[in-house]
Amino acid sequence: MFRKLKLKTRMILALGLVGALQTLLIGGFAGHYLSDSLHDQIGQRALMVAKTVAAMPAVISGVRSRDQALLNRLSRRVAATNEALFIVIGDHNAIRLAHPDPARLGHSMGDDDGDYGRRALVDGEGYVALARGSLGFSMRGKAPIVDPANGDIVGIVSVGYALDQVLATIQRYQWVLYGVMGLMLVASVIAAVIIASRFKRAIFGLEPEEIARLFEEREATLQSVREGIIAIDRHGHITTFNRTAIDTLGLDPELPLTGQPINRVLPENNLMSVLASGEPDFDEEVWFRGQQMVVNRLPVRQGDDIIGVVSSFRRRDELDQISQQLTRIRQYADTLRSQTHEYSNKLHTIAGLIQIDARDEALALIGSEVSDHQALIQLLLEAVPDPVIAGCLLGKYNRAREMGLRLEIDPDSQMADVPDALPRDQLVSVLGNLIDNALEATRQHHGAGGTVSLSMTDLGHDLIFEVDDQGPGIPDDQQQRIFERGVSSKPSEGHGIGLYLVRQFVNRWGGTITVENRQSGGSRFTLYLPKQPSTQSPTPETPP
């Protein structure tokens, strides 16, 4: 039943009950202590008055002379002065010489409480006792009367305070105590409401079950994402990480990372600089332990304060693979579209020739088409045994024809010794980018009828591809910048990625790519890819 209540209600009840219990315990202890203290204080007061009366010379001489009138006058006056219930004076045999009730004079003090005052009369000791007498329950202080001349005990003084007086005093203090306890209880409830309200705001009004579910969802999400994630607090200690981060950074999976200083786990990190500056880093490319990564670092703010930094990172090759796969899909789509468009036109032309009874021209067109494709296919089968590369070149050939251009492949080309470790999808993406750029540059500058030439060789230790176009050429000061991200000779937006990805792949494989202007016009891109990839990183390693 308690769990069904809202967190705020539960906290108010729990804190209120704790406050009430503490108040009752403290109040009960204080009341008990107060009662004992008052009893002790009144008893000590009675004893002090008894000792004072016993030391009065008039009392000592009155007891020796058994002057009851004097002793009764003195006892009544002192009792009234000290607000005592009674003051009884007896001789050395505990026979009353002074008493508020004259009928009890001359009788033994033992008929009141059974205590003859032995400790005072025999041992000469003053003491406190609680007893019922003729005047009711009272707190009594008893003291011996000592003759200073010879030191003999000549009598006894008993001073009593009624328990009703004691209880009235205790009750008076208890009402104050009860009032304080009530205020404490109210203050506890108010404090519980304030604490519960602030706590509820601090957790965004969520219930414990919702927090638990969100935590489980967060953990599942954190572990399911394919990007590595590491977060630190304002002191530079790791607070969050996922399995991908451990795998990507090559950390020990058994190492307890939570709470560890980031500088100890990753000594050369940049998270602390972001923590100090508060400036985020987006899409920064770094090298770490032989692999290129794309890193984002974002400061975590609470109001105006920076309370931590979150870093997400992923291997560059994974992003490149996605980009290249998209490029490859686009190339396939372009190839299919160009082939469909081209063959549709030719089929319409052949159908028209047949309808006008120009059968010889139709057969010649069919023969020309078959001859051209058969020659290209025969060349690709002999020079490029790899079906992925051959398919890419066939598609680019059809694409060029659709654009009104020609893609000429050097008949002396040879590309049979392609290493198995070289990713085919990345290779055709690179080659496709170079041919597409050449076709576009040729069409814009030369127009229909232009030619793009491709030459390939696998002799020696490198695979060499040369792509010549009939475009406007590339200025000398731009020949290196065109490989930068976002730099393009095309005026429209959305370009400047293809050659950047080409350079990234070439660098990772340890190859080179050059560009030069041809004397006859246009430019030439030459791609060198070693058959054995390089293992050196081109830039210093920097962890996330």
Side-chain angles (χ1 to χ4, degrees):
M1 185 65 181
F2 187 75
R3 292 185 177 180
K4 294 182 179 180
L5 299 176
K6 296 292 186 180
L7 176 62
K8 183 176 181 180
T9 306
R10 279 186 272 176
M11 290 189 65
I12 292 174
L13 290 176
L15 293 174
L17 289 174
V18 170
L21 183 60
Q22 290 179 338
T23 301
L24 291 175
L25 290 175
I26 294 174
F29 173 78
H32 179 73
Y33 180 78
L34 176 63
S35 177
D36 288 347
S37 298
L38 287 175
H39 276 89
D40 184 65
Q41 288 179 9
I42 292 177
Q44 292 300 317
R45 181 181 179 184
L47 179 60
M48 184 178 297
V49 173
K51 289 181 177 180
T52 301
V53 173
M56 294 174 64
V59 172
I60 297 173
S61 63
V63 171
R64 276 204 308 258
S65 63
R66 303 184 68 84
D67 189 347
Q68 294 184 4
L70 173 64
L71 294 176
N72 277 283
R73 286 196 305 274
L74 286 174
S75 65
R76 284 194 294 270
R77 186 173 69 247
V78 174
T81 302
N82 292 276
E83 299 180 349
L85 177 64
F86 62 83
I87 294 179
V88 176
I89 301 174
D91 61 12
H92 65 284
N93 292 319
I95 301 300
R96 296 186 187 94
L97 299 177
H99 192 279
D101 184 3
R104 292 187 174 271
L105 294 175
H107 297 282
S108 174
M109 297 172 64
D111 59 9
D112 268 347
D113 55 10
D115 182 5
Y116 292 91
R118 299 185 189 89
R119 292 171 59 185
L121 293 173
V122 176
D123 300 330
E125 177 186 355
Y127 63 97
V128 176
L130 179 64
R132 173 187 286 274
S134 59
L135 299 178
F137 272 112
S138 60
M139 183 70 68
R140 304 177 180 188
K142 298 187 178 184
I145 302 174
V146 180
D147 188 347
N150 51 24
D152 292 337
I153 297 174
V154 297
I156 183 173
V157 176
S158 177
V159 177
Y161 284 87
L163 285 184
D164 293 342
Q165 293 176 283
V166 178
L167 294 177
T169 304
I170 293 175
Q171 242 178 9
R172 187 169 61 251
Y173 284 106
Q174 280 180 336
W175 281 116
V176 176
L177 180 62
Y178 293 152
V180 173
M181 289 173 61
L183 291 175
M184 289 178 61
L185 185 59
V186 172
S188 298
V189 174
I190 295 174
V193 173
I194 294 174
I195 293 173
S197 300
R198 291 188 176 180
F199 184 81
K200 192 73 172 178
R201 285 197 300 270
I203 60 176
F204 303 102
L206 298 174
E207 296 297 317
E209 295 78 9
E210 295 175 325
I211 296 174
R213 186 177 65 253
L214 288 176
F215 177 79
E216 292 174 353
E217 291 176 356
R218 168 189 172 274
E219 286 299 309
T221 303
L222 191 64
Q223 299 302 329
S224 65
V225 296
R226 297 185 61 186
E227 288 195 351
I229 296 176
I230 287 184
I232 62 173
D233 60 17
R234 69 178 72 206
H235 305 295
H237 294 163
I238 297 175
T239 58
T240 302
F241 63 94
N242 63 354
R243 175 62 60 178
T244 305
I246 295 176
D247 295 339
T248 303
L249 299 177
L251 301 176
D252 183 2
E254 303 298 328
L255 180 68
L257 294 180
T258 303
Q260 292 289 330
I262 188 66
N263 288 334
R264 182 183 303 170
V265 179
L266 297 172
E268 299 298 330
N269 70 86
N270 288 334
L271 294 178
M272 297 304 295
S273 61
V274 176
L275 186 65
S277 66
E279 296 296 327
D281 292 333
F282 295 107
D283 297 329
E284 181 181 352
E285 298 184 11
V286 301
W287 279 87
F288 182 67
R289 297 181 181 176
Q291 55 186 354
Q292 191 178 19
M293 299 183 187
V294 177
V295 182
N296 293 284
R297 306 180 188 92
L298 188 67
V300 181
R301 299 180 181 273
Q302 189 176 52
D304 296 331
D305 297 331
I306 299 175
I307 62 174
V309 178
V310 176
S311 174
S312 64
F313 46 92
R314 192 168 187 170
R315 286 193 293 267
R316 170 82 254 185
D317 55 358
E318 294 182 3
L319 298 177
D320 290 346
Q321 287 176 9
I322 295 173
S323 299
Q324 290 165 357
Q325 287 172 2
L326 292 175
T327 302
R328 184 177 177 185
I329 292 172
R330 186 187 66 185
Q331 292 171 352
Y332 289 160
D334 290 343
T335 299
L336 292 174
R337 183 172 57 83
S338 64
Q339 288 181 342
T340 301
H341 182 71
E342 181 182 1
Y343 283 108
S344 177
N345 290 334
K346 291 186 178 191
L347 286 174
H348 285 105
T349 302
I350 293 171
L353 291 173
I354 293 174
Q355 288 176 357
I356 64 176
D357 203 21
R359 292 181 176 84
D360 293 337
E361 289 79 359
L363 291 173
L365 181 59
I366 293 172
S368 174
E369 180 65 21
V370 172
S371 176
D372 290 345
H373 274 80
Q374 188 62 35
L376 176 62
I377 292 172
Q378 186 64 32
L379 172 62
L380 294 177
L381 288 175
E382 294 177 356
V384 188
D386 190 292
V388 177
I389 301 176
C392 174
L393 296 179
L394 182 59
K396 295 306 176 184
Y397 175 83
N398 292 325
R399 172 66 173 162
R401 294 188 63 177
E402 183 191 37
M403 296 171 66
L405 306 173
R406 285 186 58 82
L407 173 61
E408 293 184 350
I409 300 178
D410 188 346
D412 295 327
S413 294
Q414 183 69 29
M415 189 55 61
D417 190 16
V418 180
D420 294 336
L422 183 62
R424 297 302 193 270
D425 57 340
Q426 297 186 35
L427 176 59
V428 298
S429 178
V430 169
L431 190 57
N433 266 312
L434 294 178
I435 295 174
D436 284 342
N437 288 340
L439 291 172
E440 188 67 28
T442 300
R443 183 177 67 172
Q444 291 182 358
H445 183 69
H446 191 278
T451 300
V452 172
S453 301
L454 170 65
S455 175
M456 304 175 290
T457 180
D458 58 1
L459 297 177
H461 298 289
D462 295 329
L463 306 178
I464 303 175
F465 300 86
E466 289 185 355
V467 180
D468 296 344
D469 63 48
Q470 293 181 339
I474 301 174
D476 293 341
D477 60 343
Q478 295 292 319
Q479 289 182 1
Q480 293 303 318
R481 292 195 66 244
I482 60 173
F483 293 103
E484 297 178 6
R485 187 185 185 97
V487 177
S488 176
S489 61
K490 301 180 180 66
S492 59
E493 296 183 358
H495 298 282
I497 300 296
L499 289 179
Y500 169 76
L501 295 176
V502 170
R503 170 61 67 84
Q504 294 297 311
F505 169 73
V506 171
N507 286 345
R508 286 199 306 274
W509 194 257
T512 57
I513 184 169
T514 63
V515 57
E516 59 182 335
N517 292 323
R518 301 164 57 209
Q519 291 183 354
S520 59
S523 57
R524 171 178 293 163
F525 284 80
T526 305
L527 174 64
Y528 301 88
L529 294 176
K531 295 179 182 179
Q532 295 296 327
S534 172
T535 58
Q536 296 181 351
S537 299
T539 55
E541 293 190 356
T542 304

